[in-house]
Amino acid sequence: MPAPRKYLLELRERAVQMYRASEPKPVIRRMAEELGVHHEALRNWIRQAEADTGERGDILTAAEREELAALRKENAQLKRANEVLRTASAFSRPSSTRPGPGDRARRCAPAPGGRTRTPGTEHPLLHLLPVAPGRDRAV
């Protein structure tokens, strides 16, 4: 949860608008004293407003900051999920589809084309496909 704001958003918007509308540009420190805000807060508000309008390219816009925060949050979640999966895979059998050293591979009759099939190696959904006439399996 972000920290509560020290200054109201309305004050921030008015201060930036006041600075941008005045000609010649006032000294930020003096203007901040008149408004009752810290001079660095006012300076940051002005810089952020300039970035949001495209006048500055050296700092991120508010939309870019929000996107960056969302991406960092998603990245942290994915790292946690990967860690959980890595930990879970350490406890599971290395592979349930490959025969282990003590298992004997049984072979069945050759498939069309001369290849041999190991029982149970067909795709589990293969039986749902329609069988072409004159063939024992779908194409």
Side-chain angles (χ1 to χ4, degrees):
M1 176 178 234
R5 294 186 184 266
K6 185 173 182 179
Y7 303 109
L8 299 174
L9 288 176
E10 183 180 338
L11 173 65
R12 176 181 177 163
E13 292 169 0
R14 282 186 153 180
V16 170
Q17 184 180 16
M18 206 165 103
Y19 175 83
R20 294 179 75 144
S22 58
E23 216 33 72
K25 297 295 180 205
V27 175
I28 292 178
R29 187 177 291 267
R30 189 167 301 130
M31 185 178 171
E33 287 175 7
E34 291 172 7
L35 293 171
V37 299
H38 193 272
H39 65 277
E40 283 301 316
L42 179 59
R43 185 182 320 277
N44 288 334
W45 297 344
I46 294 168
R47 290 181 65 202
Q48 188 63 51
E50 290 172 348
D52 290 345
T53 58
E55 297 171 25
R56 292 183 76 108
D58 59 337
I59 59 175
L60 298 175
T61 64
E64 290 171 334
R65 284 182 181 207
E66 289 174 11
E67 181 184 11
L68 183 60
L71 289 172
R72 285 181 173 161
K73 184 177 180 179
E74 181 183 1
N75 193 18
Q77 290 173 344
L78 291 172
K79 283 182 179 182
R80 283 192 300 272
N82 280 342
E83 186 61 34
V84 168
L85 291 173
R86 205 174 289 117
T87 303
S89 69
F91 292 107
S92 67
R93 186 173 170 194
S95 175
S96 60
T97 58
R98 296 185 183 158
D103 296 339
R104 290 187 313 186
R106 295 187 318 259
R107 302 277 177 193
C108 62
R115 298 177 313 203
T116 58
R117 289 186 298 209
T118 305
T121 58
E122 293 94 8
H123 191 276
L125 300 176
L126 192 61
H127 69 280
L128 297 175
L129 296 174
V131 177
R135 297 190 183 241
D136 64 331
R137 278 285 175 203
V139 179

